[in-house]
Amino acid sequence: MSSEKGPNFLEEIISEELQEGKFPGGIITRFPPEPNGYLHIGHAKSICLNFGLAKTYSGKTNLRFDDTNPVTEETEYVESIMENIKWLGFEWDAVYYSSDYFETLYGYAVKLIKKGKAYVDDLSAAEIAHQKGTPTEPGKESPFRNRSVEENLILFERMRQGEFKDGEKVLRAKIDMTSPNMHLRDPLMYRIKHAEHHRTGSQWCIYPMYDFAHGQCDSIEKITHSICTLEFEVHRPLYNWFIQELEIYPSRQFEFARLNLNYTVMSKRKLLQLVNENHVHGWDDPRMPTISGLRRRGFTPESVRHFCDKIGIARRENIIDFGLLEFCIREDLNKRAHRAMVVEDPIKLIINNYPEGQIEMMSGEINPEDESCGHRAIPFSRELLIEREDFMEDPPKKYFRLFPGGMVRLKHGFIIKCTGFEKDSFGKVHTVFCDYFQESRSGSDTSGLQAKGVLHWVSAQQAIPVELRIYDRLFKVENPAGDNFKSYINPESLRITEGFAEPYLAKATLQERYQFLRKGYFCLDKDTTTQKLVFNRTVTLKDGWKKE
Ligand code: ATP
Ligand code: MG
């Protein structure tokens, strides 16, 4: 991954292991999403880490769908996850599903029962929770803990056959009810769930718990480095206990700090609520922190990868400022965006001394950062549109835009001098009149005139109407935590307006990125029709966000 910051702690560990001659067949990592929602920017961090390590050390990465909970998982999510990973620019070595291993996992459970290390418990979930004790108080053993191996084997088989109702019985590991680590107090291995699974249908009615599935799947795939977020550090002794007792391939777990980003939420449960309750228009709404949302917003894979690289990998939790994500996309778009002029709230500008009916083609760089992009032709005529906010009847000092008697340059055009204006019956200016200086043409200016302000404009006749979707942060506060997070939604996170674009944008494509002069970076939205072009604002040109 060769981060800007030098090797991260995992790279240091792996380099050392490889030097010691470990893993002659190369390292294997995995990315293990649960297909219960769309991937978000936090997942991108994990993807960049897992796939990045494999890339750096010529290893492999498996994509594994952690689909052990039939109730929340769907095929739509599986497809979006695969698409998002590819879009980010990564390729997996193989795709697996935890559900592929249900039979093997069942066999593992039987093995533990036979060793006297697992038992069927009849206690209810509430009773088990109650007997578990607290971190300072030891737990109590279940009265079913000492069932014979034979009885346990029969009961577990009957669980599988569907003879019991949900919650009636569970399979637990027999470890230590007094362990200071709560996860070792006879953790659940299997629960009964009579539910349709997105892949195995109704074949199973018992499903393994995360702790009895994850490490075992790692081991089956011979994962050398199983990397997860810090909350799982306390699960590690259990991860190791199962592998040791089962005597299977010794995969090892490593933890890193998850990505926390302000002004957004990242729990899939919360993101699902935003979608289901129509606070946003779907998982790919450009305000969502999902990869699909960022993509539709106009983020590039490069900018997301660069962001992940910048934040780095560590073992200390912190909160990353949303502004850093915006910085990364701005930096990338500045290099690649095609420039164009769009006027949002127009007033008419008439050039008194320009011949009526004449159209002249001006020339503008498509991208000043990349000469190979060439130039675009911009029609100039007697009647133009400029931004309403670029004219003032009675300007303050140091106003460099247009006012009666003042001069400005029209970008890629001419210098003009304001000679007057007209208002409607409500006192609102609708037309500004100017003279232009023919010798001041951009690129061949011999006029000797100076104009401080530069305005963007479009030719009224040739302008094409466009819809602009102006996005802001989805939440008003830095930390929209808690269950009332929806009360912090920013009511101005989406503003839709109409604009007028130069004809160059008629050829806009979904792949291309644009900078509308002085207005921000934009991309074409998939809602575009032959009737109307729709553009999303990806980000402003400068960081102007103010804390509330
Ligand atoms: P949620 O709690 O929102 O459902 P999750 O962590 O359960 O998220 P998974 O689909 O299980 O989501 O995650 C797949 C992988 O992505 C895991 O290895 C997990 O550690 C990692 N991951 C999830 N969220 C983040 C995050 N914010 N930062 C870094 N990695 C993350
Ligand atoms: Mg999870």
Side-chain angles (χ1 to χ4, degrees):
M1 257 192 328
S2 69
S3 159
E4 285 175 3
K5 300 177 177 172
N8 62 50
F9 78 96
L10 286 165
E11 292 171 321
E12 279 170 3
I13 292 172
I14 295 172
S15 296
E16 210 174 293
E17 288 171 342
L18 290 174
Q19 254 162 34
E20 288 165 5
K22 286 188 184 163
F23 318 118
I27 66 161
I28 310 184
T29 60
R30 88 288 172 260
F31 175 63
E34 184 178 350
N36 61 352
Y38 278 58
L39 297 180
H40 53 59
I41 180 78
H43 292 114
K45 177 176 180 178
S46 173
I47 292 170
C48 289
L49 175 61
N50 280 294
F51 285 87
L53 286 173
K55 212 170 191 171
T56 304
Y57 299 103
S58 313
K60 294 176 180 170
T61 304
N62 291 342
L63 169 59
R64 184 194 317 138
F65 289 103
D66 205 345
D67 58 349
T68 54
N69 184 0
V71 185
T72 53
E73 294 155 3
E74 285 175 31
T75 309
E76 176 198 345
Y77 298 138
V78 168
E79 281 157 14
S80 76
I81 288 169
M82 293 202 206
E83 207 209 345
N84 285 164
I85 297 172
K86 284 191 222 154
W87 178 79
L88 270 176
F90 297 105
E91 264 175 69
W92 50 85
D93 202 67
V95 187
Y96 296 108
Y97 293 80
S98 297
S99 55
D100 293 340
Y101 309 128
F102 279 169
E103 194 60 53
T104 311
L105 293 172
Y106 183 83
Y108 285 166
V110 167
K111 184 170 173 178
L112 288 184
I113 293 174
K114 285 184 178 162
K115 281 182 85 173
K117 300 283 184 180
Y119 61 97
V120 173
D121 198 343
D122 298 0
L123 293 184
S124 68
E127 287 165 327
I128 290 175
H130 182 70
Q131 294 208 328
K132 200 134 208 188
T134 67
T136 51
E137 221 182 300
K140 285 196 200 69
E141 294 188 354
S142 162
F144 302 98
R145 195 173 198 261
N146 294 313
R147 277 180 160 144
S148 69
V149 168
E150 291 68 31
E151 191 184 359
N152 279 319
L153 285 173
I154 290 166
L155 287 173
F156 188 47
E157 171 66 22
R158 289 178 60 198
M159 278 170 67
R160 177 185 184 159
Q161 295 310 329
E163 292 188 24
F164 307 112
K165 291 200 280 291
D166 287 11
E168 234 181 290
K169 289 194 167 30
V170 290
L171 185 73
R172 296 177 74 176
K174 194 173 185 176
I175 308 181
D176 180 2
M177 288 306 290
T178 66
S179 171
N181 183 338
M182 300 288 286
H183 295 279
L184 294 178
R185 294 186 186 175
D186 291 10
L188 300 198
M189 292 167 60
Y190 271 89
R191 76 268 205 224
I192 299 171
K193 259 188 193 179
H194 290 272
E196 193 80 1
H197 186 279
H198 76 120
R199 296 189 84 234
T200 58
S202 53
Q203 201 183 332
W204 293 88
C205 62
I206 56 171
Y207 291 93
M209 303 298 292
Y210 172 88
D211 283 315
F212 188 66
H214 205 90
Q216 287 45 257
C217 296
D218 285 342
S219 178
I220 294 168
E221 294 173 20
K222 297 202 162 48
I223 301 299
T224 57
H225 298 81
S226 173
I227 302 163
C228 59
T229 45
L230 276 176
E231 316 88 87
F232 290 95
E233 186 174 14
V234 283
H235 295 243
R236 184 165 11 115
L238 182 57
Y239 182 101
N240 292 336
W241 188 88
F242 280 129
I243 284 183
Q244 211 173 338
E245 291 297 334
L246 289 167
E247 299 165 79
I248 52 180
Y249 179 83
S251 293
R252 289 163 314 146
Q253 175 183 302
F254 298 85
E255 306 89 19
F256 72 106
R258 68 191 298 113
L259 168 64
N260 301 304
L261 197 60
N262 61 13
Y263 294 102
T264 191
V265 295
M266 273 200 280
S267 124
K268 278 186 277 191
R269 184 178 59 84
K270 289 183 177 173
L271 294 174
L272 186 64
Q273 279 182 50
L274 293 176
V275 173
N276 286 346
E277 297 168 20
N278 297 316
H279 296 287
V280 294
H281 306 128
W283 284 97
D284 69 347
D285 185 299
R287 292 165 291 180
M288 291 281 272
T290 53
I291 296 178
S292 301
L294 292 170
R295 178 179 179 180
R296 187 164 175 196
R297 176 85 170 246
F299 277 70
T300 58
E302 290 83 355
S303 65
V304 176
R305 292 202 304 263
H306 187 209
F307 171 74
C308 291
D309 190 39
K310 258 186 139 40
I311 57 180
I313 300 296
R315 280 185 55 87
R316 203 185 58 241
E317 290 279 353
N318 62 354
I319 296 172
I320 302 292
D321 187 56
F322 200 88
L324 183 65
L325 187 58
E326 296 176 330
F327 170 84
C328 291
I329 184 61
R330 224 177 250 127
E331 198 179 49
D332 187 49
L333 292 181
N334 181 45
K335 282 182 278 178
R336 69 172 80 227
H338 287 191
R339 272 54 171 179
M341 296 194 283
V342 174
V343 172
E344 199 181 315
D345 179 13
I347 46 175
K348 220 183 267 176
L349 182 97
I350 306 277
I351 302 183
N352 313 309
N353 57 343
Y354 197 87
E356 227 162 302
Q358 177 172 313
I359 298 167
E360 182 172 359
M361 285 315 215
M362 312 307 288
S363 169
E365 304 106 325
I366 288 176
N367 180 0
E369 303 287 318
D370 180 1
E371 273 187 25
S372 72
C373 290
H375 288 74
R376 65 192 199 273
I378 312 164
F380 186 89
S381 67
R382 186 168 194 268
E383 198 175 312
L384 310 178
L385 303 176
I386 61 167
E387 293 295 342
R388 175 173 300 283
E389 59 168 36
D390 282 345
F391 174 79
M392 268 181 116
E393 178 182 350
D394 208 358
K397 274 195 182 130
K398 296 209 173 159
Y399 184 77
F400 296 127
R401 303 181 200 176
L402 208 52
F403 55 91
M407 286 204 297
V408 296
R409 171 171 290 285
L410 294 174
K411 180 82 180 172
H412 305 307
F414 299 92
I415 292 179
I416 54 169
K417 182 172 187 172
C418 179
T419 58
F421 59 93
E422 261 173 21
K423 288 180 180 177
D424 61 19
S425 50
F426 303 100
K428 208 171 164 191
V429 175
H430 58 78
T431 309
V432 174
F433 298 92
C434 293
D435 283 337
Y436 91 117
F437 301 93
Q438 208 174 353
E439 332 75 68
S440 69
R441 187 185 169 113
S442 288
S444 56
D445 182 356
T446 55
S447 68
L449 297 170
Q450 295 283 336
K452 279 215 171 113
V454 181
L455 305 189
H456 61 278
W457 53 275
V458 293
S459 174
Q461 272 271 298
Q462 290 78 22
I464 44 179
V466 294
E467 177 177 315
L468 304 176
R469 296 183 181 171
I470 308 295
Y471 298 101
D472 198 350
R473 296 180 185 181
L474 187 51
F475 292 93
K476 302 178 283 193
V477 300
E478 276 196 66
N479 184 12
D483 275 332
N484 64 340
F485 70 101
K486 285 172 281 182
S487 64
Y488 304 118
I489 290 178
N490 176 5
E492 277 138 42
S493 61
L494 170 60
R495 180 170 66 86
I496 297 181
T497 100
E498 300 289 320
F500 297 88
E502 60 168 277
Y504 175 69
L505 285 175
K507 290 183 301 196
T509 65
L510 287 168
Q511 288 71 39
E512 211 56 72
R513 299 292 188 279
Y514 302 92
Q515 184 195 109
F516 295 171
L517 263 81
R518 292 170 61 210
K519 306 206 78 68
Y521 292 102
F522 287 78
C523 68
L524 195 67
D525 188 79
K526 65 175 188 186
D527 284 349
T528 290
T529 61
T530 45
Q531 312 301 316
K532 197 199 287 164
L533 295 168
V534 178
F535 286 95
N536 295 320
R537 187 177 73 188
T538 309
V539 68
T540 53
L541 293 178
K542 290 200 184 95
D543 183 5
W545 217 84
K546 297 271 180 302
K547 276 186 197 179
E548 217 179 53

